[in-house]
Amino acid sequence: MKLLGRQDERAHLMELIREGPRLIGISGRAGVGKSALLASLADAPPEGADVWKVDLHEAGESGLCEGIVRRLGVAVLAPSGADYRPVERVVRVIGGTPVVLALDHVPERTLDTPETDELLDSCPNLRVVVATSTRVLDATENIALQPLHVPPPGASFEEALACPSVALFIDRATSADARFRVEEKTIDAVAEICRLVGGLPLAIELAAARIRMLSPERLAVELSDATAALDLLSPGSHTQRMGLRQAIAATFGTLRDHERLLLGRLSCFSGPFPFEAAVAVGGQPYGDVADGLEKLTDLRLIEPDEPASGEAVYSMLPIMRRFIAESGIDADAAAVRRTYLEGVLRDADLAVSRATRTSAVIHAHTLRRDLVDEGLRRFASDAGGSAAWLTACAAQLVGSAESVIVGELLERLIETREVDALPPADRARVWLWSSNALAFSPDGAAMAELIQERWGRGADLIDVTSEPLLALQSRSIAVTNGVTTGDLSTAVLAAREGARLALSNAFPTWAARFEVLDAAAVHATGDVTAAVRLALAALRHAERVGDLEAIVGATIVLRTVPLGSVPGNAALPSLTDLLALARSQEDVVRESFLLGALTRIELSEGRAQEAAHWCAERLAAGAARGWSYLLTISLVHATLIAATLGDLPFAARILGALSADRERVLRAMAPATTAQLERTSAMADSRLGAAHVAALRAGGALLTLSDASAEVVRWLRRHAAHVDHPVDTATGEASLTPREREVLSVLAEGWTNQQIAAHLHISVKTTMHHSVAIYRKLAVRGRAEATAYAHRHGMVRSDSPPA
């Protein structure tokens, strides 16, 4: 069977064998592919050497050489009365012959150093390759295997096919069922399968074996149920010794007690969690948690996520969480988690009401799944009592997938009349945030009257004198509702009223945000001169108060007006820098606006393929969240991109898909966009013929918004230019600061976070921040991969760690 996904590791192993290290270690968790790598060595041995593969899986309590003797059946004719020790028997058989002894499933206790040394000393042409779950300390070289890389959500067809985990699944699925074919419509399901099993080769092979009974789509659904996954990925035949449950158990058994305890505590989180959350529930000293997290990350028992503002973020696969639940968990973990969530949400809610962005806001968004799960629990036990929690969640999670669940719960509070018994301020919040949830729903445009009526009921309950911050929030919600449903007049009025309220109550950040919203609304009406004047004033105000949201909004307005409209001496932030910042803070609404702005700019400057890249990202994100209004705007942009690239038939098809919402959406866009769309339509009629265009548009009109979005995303990705991540222009490598290089050099020597912190005179938390930055810039998934990178690039120093 082909060795897939490990070609680089095999090449490295062959190189090591040729270069002459006597003892080579291959380490990694159970199921990661150590056996497959050794088997490939036996199938294609290095030139001039025999490979003896010995599986010590059932060696029991015997020593290393005794296990080898038993598995190979070594028998040496001894002189009368002689009784050779196992190591002597192996030595007499091998002698001076060039042999590679490939030892699989080596228990750590059998690595008896004196015996191993004697074997190597006595056989000058012997190379020993040892596969075990932990690093072989005495090995000259160690190759650490990690689970295979998996495609990120939203990866294109070509990107997914190039991913080693997907390639392995396709190969094994084809072996299991010769009729299996991967297509564009099934690639997302295959990628999701690989993500659900964490890229573990054993699990991927077990999943692929099920393709004879289950389609990729159905298999992905089944594997999303963690209990079903552990049962489904069981040994498929008598030749398969290990299933996924056994593989996890084997890795779990290699952990130390405090590492097991930490893993158990972390399993109480149902979604991603930041480093601070791990410290809060871990019940261990700060430095121990930091080192434990890196160990668990290297084993891929937890997964590193995109960091929030430089702070490490992790998540746990559902199958891992389920396994821990079956094994029993610390009863205090859930209570500790609940207390931590309460503190985070309380602090984040206060920050949002004051239009500030603190670490609590970032943590709240990272912990959004846990916050919503806690909301569901509270709603089930006391619906009315959950209102304050749910509205605080709604304020934090605007635009996220989890906000849909919060909106549904608020809707039930209204339907059951539980809302009527709440105090006025809580009642106001329920009405306001339920209106916002409806505005973001797929049918938001059709419910404009209901949305406005609900907002009005909430606003009428607010005493501006005693609740000025809630009054400002209500105006902000009104602006969002108006923009999202295409009701610009409501948005403009609310923005100007909000600015007056903010200034009269001395809330400068709120004032800056409303000034930006006013500029954006004026821009949409086509008054470029007034929009630029308002936006420049808003940007200066936003920079003085240091508010990212206002800075992003003002910059978008100024970057998307016609060239020459903004004074040449105006210093404007980079949209790509702002996009990176919005993503680091998981601000999905700002991210969407920035992607739209980048699309428009690239298109206006004639770079249609670059515009396609940004438009695809925005459309895919909007489709995942059901943002109907923003989806339609992206379809408008896609129409212009298709026309610019010469694909007029596809542009005409998208025009058909736009027909239902076109007029409403264009009212909220700059007049120049309407003119461009009209020119595109006329050009299609002229070149393709009106009858042909009518047929194409009729076909597009039959598509649902969801289907149209999916089709357009695929087209955009096929035509998009690749946009590189920033690199160090001098070296071609990811740019590390001098301090990050210093941290990497000692990290690669095996120093703990506490040792690094003490040596560099920084805190453990700062050390973790440096590590996260290093992993992100090098595009590696943890300490083990960073260590390999450092060794390959000569970045390791020889200092001994402090005692």
Side-chain angles (χ1 to χ4, degrees):
M1 191 172 283
K2 290 187 291 185
L3 180 70
L4 292 172
R6 298 294 183 207
Q7 293 89 332
D8 289 345
E9 288 89 344
R10 174 181 162 79
H12 185 201
L13 178 58
M14 295 293 281
E15 182 181 357
L16 290 176
I17 291 172
R18 285 194 299 271
E19 288 178 352
R22 306 296 307 284
L23 180 60
I24 302 168
I26 300 176
S27 61
R29 59 178 288 198
V32 81
K34 302 185 294 295
S35 297
L37 184 55
L38 284 184
S40 75
L41 187 63
D43 292 341
E47 186 176 355
D50 290 332
V51 175
W52 295 5
K53 187 173 182 298
V54 182
D55 191 339
L56 298 176
H57 177 69
E58 297 176 356
E61 297 297 325
S62 59
L64 180 66
C65 286
E66 184 179 348
I68 294 172
V69 166
R70 290 181 178 179
R71 299 301 295 171
L72 290 179
V74 173
V76 178
L77 185 62
S80 178
D83 184 14
Y84 291 138
R85 292 178 296 122
V87 64
E88 293 174 322
R89 293 191 181 193
V90 177
V91 167
R92 284 179 171 269
V93 170
I94 296 176
T97 307
V99 169
V100 176
L101 195 56
L103 305 179
D104 198 7
H105 297 110
V106 179
E108 191 172 2
R109 63 179 181 276
T110 66
L111 291 175
D112 183 69
T113 302
E115 189 179 58
T116 305
D117 289 344
E118 183 178 351
L119 180 63
L120 291 170
D121 290 343
S122 304
C123 302
N125 295 316
L126 173 66
R127 306 285 182 271
V128 179
V129 182
V130 178
T132 186
S133 58
T134 57
R135 180 183 174 92
V136 183
L137 295 178
D138 294 314
T140 310
E141 295 282 351
N142 270 279
I143 299 174
L145 297 187
Q146 302 292 327
L148 301 175
H149 283 292
V150 298
S156 68
F157 183 72
E158 292 75 15
E159 289 169 340
L161 283 181
C163 206
S165 58
V166 171
L168 177 62
F169 180 91
I170 293 172
D171 180 78
R172 301 306 190 253
T174 305
S175 297
D177 184 351
R179 298 167 299 175
F180 174 76
R181 295 290 184 274
V182 66
E183 303 169 341
E184 276 203 54
K185 64 180 181 181
T186 59
I187 193 68
D188 287 345
V190 171
E192 180 65 8
I193 290 167
C194 295
R195 287 192 293 269
L196 286 168
V197 299
L200 191 68
L202 169 70
I204 291 172
E205 295 193 14
L206 290 168
R210 302 293 185 181
I211 210 68
R212 287 170 292 189
M213 299 170 289
L214 302 170
S215 68
E217 294 85 354
R218 185 63 193 172
L219 184 55
V221 170
E222 293 295 331
L223 293 180
S224 65
D225 179 339
T227 303
L230 288 172
D231 293 333
L232 193 63
L233 302 184
S234 56
S237 69
H238 68 279
T239 59
Q240 185 76 51
R241 246 195 320 259
M242 184 183 290
L244 184 56
R245 185 179 271 105
Q246 293 90 338
I248 295 175
T251 302
F252 197 70
T254 66
L255 300 177
R256 300 172 184 170
D257 289 344
H258 71 277
E259 293 165 345
R260 270 193 216 104
L261 174 62
L262 177 60
L263 187 62
R265 285 290 185 93
L266 297 178
S267 70
C268 72
F269 290 109
S270 53
F273 53 89
F275 175 67
E276 291 291 348
V279 173
V281 304
Q284 298 174 25
Y286 210 93
D288 289 347
V289 172
D291 291 335
L293 285 171
E294 290 208 326
K295 170 71 174 292
L296 299 176
T297 301
D298 282 344
L299 289 172
R300 296 281 287 275
L301 299 179
I302 60 173
E303 293 282 323
D305 276 0
E306 284 298 314
S309 296
E311 182 171 330
V313 175
Y314 305 90
S315 61
M316 186 178 294
L317 288 173
I319 49 176
M320 190 70 222
R321 193 179 301 113
R322 179 62 195 176
F323 174 84
I324 295 172
E326 291 178 356
S327 305
I329 184 173
D330 188 335
D332 294 336
V336 173
R337 162 185 166 273
R338 188 171 299 123
T339 301
Y340 172 70
L341 291 176
E342 288 170 352
V344 167
L345 189 58
R346 180 182 61 251
D347 294 345
D349 191 41
L350 181 62
V352 166
S353 70
R354 293 178 174 174
T356 59
R357 192 171 182 86
T358 65
S359 60
V361 174
I362 298 168
H363 290 170
H365 198 82
T366 302
L367 291 159
R368 57 192 179 275
R369 284 181 55 186
D370 288 273
L371 291 173
V372 171
D373 284 352
E374 177 64 13
L376 288 165
R377 187 193 69 80
R378 292 180 180 228
F379 186 91
S381 61
D382 179 9
S386 69
W389 184 275
L390 294 175
T391 54
C393 285
Q396 298 298 325
L397 307 180
V398 174
S400 69
E402 288 76 13
S403 68
V404 175
I405 300 172
V406 175
E408 290 172 353
L409 295 178
L410 294 176
E411 199 69 26
R412 288 170 63 184
L413 285 177
I414 292 171
E415 290 174 355
T416 59
R417 307 300 295 270
E418 294 273 359
V419 65
D420 296 340
L422 298 175
D426 284 344
R427 206 182 325 153
R429 290 183 177 92
V430 171
W431 288 115
L432 292 171
W433 287 112
S434 69
S435 77
N436 190 248
L438 292 178
F440 270 99
S441 69
D443 298 322
M447 295 187 287
E449 289 186 11
L450 176 60
I451 290 167
Q452 182 60 27
E453 185 265 335
R454 285 198 176 176
W455 180 88
R457 294 186 68 164
D460 289 344
L461 291 167
I462 301 171
D463 181 343
V464 176
T465 303
S466 61
E467 295 274 4
L469 291 174
L470 183 55
L472 289 169
Q473 271 191 301
S474 73
R475 271 59 179 184
S476 177
I477 291 170
V479 174
T480 304
N481 290 354
V483 171
T484 307
T485 60
D487 185 358
L488 279 185
S489 61
T490 295
V492 170
L493 289 173
R496 291 176 178 171
E497 185 179 346
R500 286 194 299 270
L501 266 175
L503 291 171
S504 64
N505 287 278
F507 290 116
T509 301
W510 274 113
R513 291 187 182 183
F514 283 119
E515 288 168 3
V516 169
L517 293 170
D518 190 11
V522 170
H523 180 210
T525 67
D527 189 345
V528 174
T529 302
V532 170
R533 174 175 50 80
L534 290 168
L536 283 171
L539 179 59
R540 288 193 292 269
H541 190 173
E543 289 176 334
R544 282 199 305 273
V545 299
D547 182 55
L548 171 64
E549 182 171 328
I551 291 171
V552 167
T555 304
I556 287 175
V557 173
L558 294 168
R559 290 281 189 184
T560 53
V561 295
L563 289 176
S565 303
V566 180
N569 60 353
L572 303 182
S574 159
L575 286 182
T576 51
D577 287 347
L578 291 176
L579 176 64
L581 185 56
R583 283 175 166 170
S584 74
Q585 297 188 346
E586 300 196 4
D587 190 336
V588 293
V589 176
R590 300 281 80 72
E591 177 186 348
S592 178
F593 286 136
L594 286 162
L595 289 171
L598 285 163
T599 301
R600 295 198 298 275
I601 291 169
E602 297 288 13
L603 194 54
S604 68
E605 296 183 3
R607 295 189 292 269
Q609 289 181 306
E610 287 77 2
H613 168 84
W614 299 117
C615 189
E617 287 201 20
R618 189 186 200 218
L619 191 56
R625 299 183 176 100
W627 291 349
S628 59
Y629 177 67
L630 296 180
L631 284 180
T632 313
I633 291 177
S634 291
L635 292 181
V636 171
H637 293 155
T639 303
L640 301 178
I641 292 168
T644 303
L645 291 175
D647 194 343
L648 287 174
F650 191 71
R653 181 170 170 81
I654 308 173
L655 282 170
L658 281 168
S659 56
D661 286 326
R662 175 180 169 182
E663 296 307 318
R664 175 180 64 86
V665 170
L666 288 177
R667 284 198 301 272
M669 300 181 75
T673 303
T674 302
Q676 286 178 292
L677 211 59
E678 293 300 334
R679 286 197 296 272
T680 297
S681 181
M683 185 166 56
D685 285 344
S686 172
R687 296 186 183 179
L688 302 177
H692 187 195
V693 170
L696 291 168
R697 292 177 69 157
L702 297 175
L703 295 172
T704 65
L705 185 57
S706 175
D707 288 342
S709 299
E711 183 176 319
V712 172
V713 166
R714 289 194 292 270
W715 185 93
L716 288 168
R717 285 175 174 159
R718 286 198 299 271
H719 293 81
H722 177 70
V723 177
D724 290 320
H725 295 288
V727 296
D728 187 321
T729 55
T731 65
E733 300 170 5
S735 176
L736 299 181
T737 67
R739 176 64 99 183
E740 288 164 355
R741 289 177 178 274
E742 191 173 13
V743 170
L744 175 60
S745 69
V746 290
L747 176 152
E749 279 295 290
W751 292 28
T752 67
N753 286 289
Q754 295 174 84
Q755 290 170 332
I756 296 171
H759 180 66
L760 299 179
H761 306 292
I762 57 178
S763 69
V764 172
K765 183 174 182 180
T766 301
T767 303
M768 287 294 292
H769 284 325
H770 286 312
S771 298
V772 169
I774 290 166
Y775 302 155
R776 183 175 69 253
K777 291 179 178 180
L778 300 185
V780 299
R781 299 187 64 85
R783 179 177 281 246
E785 292 184 19
T787 297
Y789 180 97
H791 280 281
R792 286 198 306 272
H793 292 82
M795 301 172 69
V796 183
R797 54 194 272 180
S798 58
D799 297 20
S800 298

mmCIF file with all atom_site columns, all heavy atoms in Angstrom, residues 43 116 182 199 205 245 264 273 365 387 458 499 531 538 557 643 679 701:
data_model
loop_
_atom_site.group_PDB
_atom_site.id
_atom_site.type_symbol
_atom_site.label_atom_id
_atom_site.label_alt_id
_atom_site.label_comp_id
_atom_site.label_asym_id
_atom_site.label_entity_id
_atom_site.label_seq_id
_atom_site.pdbx_PDB_ins_code
_atom_site.Cartn_x
_atom_site.Cartn_y
_atom_site.Cartn_z
_atom_site.occupancy
_atom_site.B_iso_or_equiv
_atom_site.pdbx_formal_charge
_atom_site.auth_seq_id
_atom_site.auth_comp_id
_atom_site.auth_asym_id
_atom_site.auth_atom_id
_atom_site.pdbx_PDB_model_num
ATOM 1   N N   . ASP A 1 43  ? 9.833   -2.296 2.606   1.00 0.00 ? 43  ASP A N   1
ATOM 2   C CA  . ASP A 1 43  ? 9.427   -2.545 1.216   1.00 0.00 ? 43  ASP A CA  1
ATOM 3   C C   . ASP A 1 43  ? 10.471  -2.056 0.216   1.00 0.00 ? 43  ASP A C   1
ATOM 4   O O   . ASP A 1 43  ? 10.625  -2.633 -0.858  1.00 0.00 ? 43  ASP A O   1
ATOM 5   C CB  . ASP A 1 43  ? 8.090   -1.850 0.937   1.00 0.00 ? 43  ASP A CB  1
ATOM 6   C CG  . ASP A 1 43  ? 6.939   -2.487 1.702   1.00 0.00 ? 43  ASP A CG  1
ATOM 7   O OD1 . ASP A 1 43  ? 7.090   -3.636 2.142   1.00 0.00 ? 43  ASP A OD1 1
ATOM 8   O OD2 . ASP A 1 43  ? 5.889   -1.821 1.869   1.00 0.00 ? 43  ASP A OD2 1
ATOM 9   N N   . THR A 1 116 ? 21.320  -2.034 24.467  1.00 0.00 ? 116 THR A N   1
ATOM 10  C CA  . THR A 1 116 ? 21.338  -1.384 23.158  1.00 0.00 ? 116 THR A CA  1
ATOM 11  C C   . THR A 1 116 ? 22.766  -0.986 22.783  1.00 0.00 ? 116 THR A C   1
ATOM 12  O O   . THR A 1 116 ? 23.201  -1.176 21.639  1.00 0.00 ? 116 THR A O   1
ATOM 13  C CB  . THR A 1 116 ? 20.423  -0.142 23.158  1.00 0.00 ? 116 THR A CB  1
ATOM 14  O OG1 . THR A 1 116 ? 19.111  -0.513 23.575  1.00 0.00 ? 116 THR A OG1 1
ATOM 15  C CG2 . THR A 1 116 ? 20.355  0.494  21.788  1.00 0.00 ? 116 THR A CG2 1
ATOM 16  N N   . VAL A 1 182 ? -13.949 11.382 -6.164  1.00 0.00 ? 182 VAL A N   1
ATOM 17  C CA  . VAL A 1 182 ? -14.116 12.640 -5.450  1.00 0.00 ? 182 VAL A CA  1
ATOM 18  C C   . VAL A 1 182 ? -14.394 13.736 -6.467  1.00 0.00 ? 182 VAL A C   1
ATOM 19  O O   . VAL A 1 182 ? -13.751 13.813 -7.514  1.00 0.00 ? 182 VAL A O   1
ATOM 20  C CB  . VAL A 1 182 ? -12.881 12.981 -4.599  1.00 0.00 ? 182 VAL A CB  1
ATOM 21  C CG1 . VAL A 1 182 ? -11.661 13.255 -5.455  1.00 0.00 ? 182 VAL A CG1 1
ATOM 22  C CG2 . VAL A 1 182 ? -13.155 14.160 -3.680  1.00 0.00 ? 182 VAL A CG2 1
ATOM 23  N N   . GLY A 1 199 ? -6.839  14.694 11.385  1.00 0.00 ? 199 GLY A N   1
ATOM 24  C CA  . GLY A 1 199 ? -5.735  14.340 10.494  1.00 0.00 ? 199 GLY A CA  1
ATOM 25  C C   . GLY A 1 199 ? -4.979  13.080 10.899  1.00 0.00 ? 199 GLY A C   1
ATOM 26  O O   . GLY A 1 199 ? -3.903  12.806 10.361  1.00 0.00 ? 199 GLY A O   1
ATOM 27  N N   . GLU A 1 205 ? -7.918  6.220  7.592   1.00 0.00 ? 205 GLU A N   1
ATOM 28  C CA  . GLU A 1 205 ? -8.031  4.929  6.912   1.00 0.00 ? 205 GLU A CA  1
ATOM 29  C C   . GLU A 1 205 ? -9.277  4.174  7.358   1.00 0.00 ? 205 GLU A C   1
ATOM 30  O O   . GLU A 1 205 ? -9.959  3.544  6.547   1.00 0.00 ? 205 GLU A O   1
ATOM 31  C CB  . GLU A 1 205 ? -6.770  4.107  7.166   1.00 0.00 ? 205 GLU A CB  1
ATOM 32  C CG  . GLU A 1 205 ? -5.522  4.731  6.550   1.00 0.00 ? 205 GLU A CG  1
ATOM 33  C CD  . GLU A 1 205 ? -4.336  3.769  6.517   1.00 0.00 ? 205 GLU A CD  1
ATOM 34  O OE1 . GLU A 1 205 ? -4.554  2.564  6.716   1.00 0.00 ? 205 GLU A OE1 1
ATOM 35  O OE2 . GLU A 1 205 ? -3.212  4.224  6.268   1.00 0.00 ? 205 GLU A OE2 1
ATOM 36  N N   . ARG A 1 245 ? -10.717 4.402  19.280  1.00 0.00 ? 245 ARG A N   1
ATOM 37  C CA  . ARG A 1 245 ? -10.803 4.428  20.746  1.00 0.00 ? 245 ARG A CA  1
ATOM 38  C C   . ARG A 1 245 ? -9.528  3.861  21.377  1.00 0.00 ? 245 ARG A C   1
ATOM 39  O O   . ARG A 1 245 ? -8.984  4.417  22.331  1.00 0.00 ? 245 ARG A O   1
ATOM 40  C CB  . ARG A 1 245 ? -12.030 3.648  21.213  1.00 0.00 ? 245 ARG A CB  1
ATOM 41  C CG  . ARG A 1 245 ? -12.261 3.718  22.714  1.00 0.00 ? 245 ARG A CG  1
ATOM 42  C CD  . ARG A 1 245 ? -13.500 2.962  23.146  1.00 0.00 ? 245 ARG A CD  1
ATOM 43  N NE  . ARG A 1 245 ? -14.697 3.770  23.119  1.00 0.00 ? 245 ARG A NE  1
ATOM 44  C CZ  . ARG A 1 245 ? -15.650 3.691  22.209  1.00 0.00 ? 245 ARG A CZ  1
ATOM 45  N NH1 . ARG A 1 245 ? -15.525 2.850  21.195  1.00 0.00 ? 245 ARG A NH1 1
ATOM 46  N NH2 . ARG A 1 245 ? -16.723 4.456  22.265  1.00 0.00 ? 245 ARG A NH2 1
ATOM 47  N N   . GLY A 1 264 ? -8.355  16.526 31.110  1.00 0.00 ? 264 GLY A N   1
ATOM 48  C CA  . GLY A 1 264 ? -9.716  16.316 31.587  1.00 0.00 ? 264 GLY A CA  1
ATOM 49  C C   . GLY A 1 264 ? -10.420 17.625 31.888  1.00 0.00 ? 264 GLY A C   1
ATOM 50  O O   . GLY A 1 264 ? -11.592 17.814 31.546  1.00 0.00 ? 264 GLY A O   1
ATOM 51  N N   . PHE A 1 273 ? -11.033 27.740 23.308  1.00 0.00 ? 273 PHE A N   1
ATOM 52  C CA  . PHE A 1 273 ? -10.812 28.428 24.574  1.00 0.00 ? 273 PHE A CA  1
ATOM 53  C C   . PHE A 1 273 ? -9.433  29.079 24.552  1.00 0.00 ? 273 PHE A C   1
ATOM 54  O O   . PHE A 1 273 ? -8.492  28.540 23.983  1.00 0.00 ? 273 PHE A O   1
ATOM 55  C CB  . PHE A 1 273 ? -10.904 27.451 25.757  1.00 0.00 ? 273 PHE A CB  1
ATOM 56  C CG  . PHE A 1 273 ? -10.022 26.238 25.638  1.00 0.00 ? 273 PHE A CG  1
ATOM 57  C CD1 . PHE A 1 273 ? -8.711  26.249 26.119  1.00 0.00 ? 273 PHE A CD1 1
ATOM 58  C CD2 . PHE A 1 273 ? -10.485 25.078 25.036  1.00 0.00 ? 273 PHE A CD2 1
ATOM 59  C CE1 . PHE A 1 273 ? -7.896  25.135 26.005  1.00 0.00 ? 273 PHE A CE1 1
ATOM 60  C CE2 . PHE A 1 273 ? -9.672  23.959 24.908  1.00 0.00 ? 273 PHE A CE2 1
ATOM 61  C CZ  . PHE A 1 273 ? -8.373  23.993 25.404  1.00 0.00 ? 273 PHE A CZ  1
ATOM 62  N N   . HIS A 1 365 ? -15.762 36.307 22.714  1.00 0.00 ? 365 HIS A N   1
ATOM 63  C CA  . HIS A 1 365 ? -16.012 35.835 21.353  1.00 0.00 ? 365 HIS A CA  1
ATOM 64  C C   . HIS A 1 365 ? -15.350 34.476 21.122  1.00 0.00 ? 365 HIS A C   1
ATOM 65  O O   . HIS A 1 365 ? -15.926 33.609 20.459  1.00 0.00 ? 365 HIS A O   1
ATOM 66  C CB  . HIS A 1 365 ? -15.511 36.843 20.326  1.00 0.00 ? 365 HIS A CB  1
ATOM 67  C CG  . HIS A 1 365 ? -16.101 36.626 18.971  1.00 0.00 ? 365 HIS A CG  1
ATOM 68  N ND1 . HIS A 1 365 ? -17.342 37.088 18.612  1.00 0.00 ? 365 HIS A ND1 1
ATOM 69  C CD2 . HIS A 1 365 ? -15.639 35.943 17.896  1.00 0.00 ? 365 HIS A CD2 1
ATOM 70  C CE1 . HIS A 1 365 ? -17.613 36.715 17.379  1.00 0.00 ? 365 HIS A CE1 1
ATOM 71  N NE2 . HIS A 1 365 ? -16.592 36.025 16.915  1.00 0.00 ? 365 HIS A NE2 1
ATOM 72  N N   . ALA A 1 387 ? -32.685 35.796 30.601  1.00 0.00 ? 387 ALA A N   1
ATOM 73  C CA  . ALA A 1 387 ? -32.760 36.923 29.665  1.00 0.00 ? 387 ALA A CA  1
ATOM 74  C C   . ALA A 1 387 ? -31.502 37.779 29.703  1.00 0.00 ? 387 ALA A C   1
ATOM 75  O O   . ALA A 1 387 ? -30.965 38.161 28.650  1.00 0.00 ? 387 ALA A O   1
ATOM 76  C CB  . ALA A 1 387 ? -33.994 37.773 29.961  1.00 0.00 ? 387 ALA A CB  1
ATOM 77  N N   . GLY A 1 458 ? -38.577 48.274 22.239  1.00 0.00 ? 458 GLY A N   1
ATOM 78  C CA  . GLY A 1 458 ? -37.447 48.292 23.155  1.00 0.00 ? 458 GLY A CA  1
ATOM 79  C C   . GLY A 1 458 ? -36.995 49.702 23.470  1.00 0.00 ? 458 GLY A C   1
ATOM 80  O O   . GLY A 1 458 ? -36.743 50.048 24.635  1.00 0.00 ? 458 GLY A O   1
ATOM 81  N N   . ALA A 1 499 ? -25.047 60.104 17.443  1.00 0.00 ? 499 ALA A N   1
ATOM 82  C CA  . ALA A 1 499 ? -23.911 61.015 17.620  1.00 0.00 ? 499 ALA A CA  1
ATOM 83  C C   . ALA A 1 499 ? -24.271 62.142 18.585  1.00 0.00 ? 499 ALA A C   1
ATOM 84  O O   . ALA A 1 499 ? -23.463 62.515 19.456  1.00 0.00 ? 499 ALA A O   1
ATOM 85  C CB  . ALA A 1 499 ? -23.476 61.581 16.270  1.00 0.00 ? 499 ALA A CB  1
ATOM 86  N N   . ALA A 1 531 ? -19.306 62.816 2.004   1.00 0.00 ? 531 ALA A N   1
ATOM 87  C CA  . ALA A 1 531 ? -18.877 61.567 2.645   1.00 0.00 ? 531 ALA A CA  1
ATOM 88  C C   . ALA A 1 531 ? -17.403 61.646 3.041   1.00 0.00 ? 531 ALA A C   1
ATOM 89  O O   . ALA A 1 531 ? -17.019 61.221 4.136   1.00 0.00 ? 531 ALA A O   1
ATOM 90  C CB  . ALA A 1 531 ? -19.110 60.388 1.716   1.00 0.00 ? 531 ALA A CB  1
ATOM 91  N N   . ALA A 1 538 ? -14.296 61.830 11.082  1.00 0.00 ? 538 ALA A N   1
ATOM 92  C CA  . ALA A 1 538 ? -14.547 60.652 11.915  1.00 0.00 ? 538 ALA A CA  1
ATOM 93  C C   . ALA A 1 538 ? -13.263 59.862 12.161  1.00 0.00 ? 538 ALA A C   1
ATOM 94  O O   . ALA A 1 538 ? -13.034 59.356 13.263  1.00 0.00 ? 538 ALA A O   1
ATOM 95  C CB  . ALA A 1 538 ? -15.598 59.762 11.260  1.00 0.00 ? 538 ALA A CB  1
ATOM 96  N N   . VAL A 1 557 ? -14.693 53.836 4.019   1.00 0.00 ? 557 VAL A N   1
ATOM 97  C CA  . VAL A 1 557 ? -15.329 54.908 3.245   1.00 0.00 ? 557 VAL A CA  1
ATOM 98  C C   . VAL A 1 557 ? -14.292 55.635 2.394   1.00 0.00 ? 557 VAL A C   1
ATOM 99  O O   . VAL A 1 557 ? -14.474 55.856 1.186   1.00 0.00 ? 557 VAL A O   1
ATOM 100 C CB  . VAL A 1 557 ? -16.053 55.899 4.177   1.00 0.00 ? 557 VAL A CB  1
ATOM 101 C CG1 . VAL A 1 557 ? -16.555 57.110 3.380   1.00 0.00 ? 557 VAL A CG1 1
ATOM 102 C CG2 . VAL A 1 557 ? -17.219 55.224 4.884   1.00 0.00 ? 557 VAL A CG2 1
ATOM 103 N N   . ALA A 1 643 ? -17.723 39.891 -15.478 1.00 0.00 ? 643 ALA A N   1
ATOM 104 C CA  . ALA A 1 643 ? -17.741 40.685 -16.704 1.00 0.00 ? 643 ALA A CA  1
ATOM 105 C C   . ALA A 1 643 ? -16.351 41.198 -17.046 1.00 0.00 ? 643 ALA A C   1
ATOM 106 O O   . ALA A 1 643 ? -15.931 41.183 -18.202 1.00 0.00 ? 643 ALA A O   1
ATOM 107 C CB  . ALA A 1 643 ? -18.719 41.851 -16.544 1.00 0.00 ? 643 ALA A CB  1
ATOM 108 N N   . ARG A 1 679 ? -24.214 48.744 -17.209 1.00 0.00 ? 679 ARG A N   1
ATOM 109 C CA  . ARG A 1 679 ? -23.309 48.591 -18.352 1.00 0.00 ? 679 ARG A CA  1
ATOM 110 C C   . ARG A 1 679 ? -23.012 47.117 -18.612 1.00 0.00 ? 679 ARG A C   1
ATOM 111 O O   . ARG A 1 679 ? -22.922 46.684 -19.766 1.00 0.00 ? 679 ARG A O   1
ATOM 112 C CB  . ARG A 1 679 ? -22.007 49.353 -18.097 1.00 0.00 ? 679 ARG A CB  1
ATOM 113 C CG  . ARG A 1 679 ? -22.141 50.864 -18.207 1.00 0.00 ? 679 ARG A CG  1
ATOM 114 C CD  . ARG A 1 679 ? -20.769 51.531 -18.353 1.00 0.00 ? 679 ARG A CD  1
ATOM 115 N NE  . ARG A 1 679 ? -19.942 51.334 -17.168 1.00 0.00 ? 679 ARG A NE  1
ATOM 116 C CZ  . ARG A 1 679 ? -19.948 52.135 -16.112 1.00 0.00 ? 679 ARG A CZ  1
ATOM 117 N NH1 . ARG A 1 679 ? -20.771 53.183 -16.078 1.00 0.00 ? 679 ARG A NH1 1
ATOM 118 N NH2 . ARG A 1 679 ? -19.152 51.914 -15.084 1.00 0.00 ? 679 ARG A NH2 1
ATOM 119 N N   . ALA A 1 701 ? -32.247 32.748 -11.949 1.00 0.00 ? 701 ALA A N   1
ATOM 120 C CA  . ALA A 1 701 ? -33.356 33.115 -11.067 1.00 0.00 ? 701 ALA A CA  1
ATOM 121 C C   . ALA A 1 701 ? -33.937 31.909 -10.345 1.00 0.00 ? 701 ALA A C   1
ATOM 122 O O   . ALA A 1 701 ? -34.596 32.058 -9.305  1.00 0.00 ? 701 ALA A O   1
ATOM 123 C CB  . ALA A 1 701 ? -34.444 33.820 -11.876 1.00 0.00 ? 701 ALA A CB  1
#
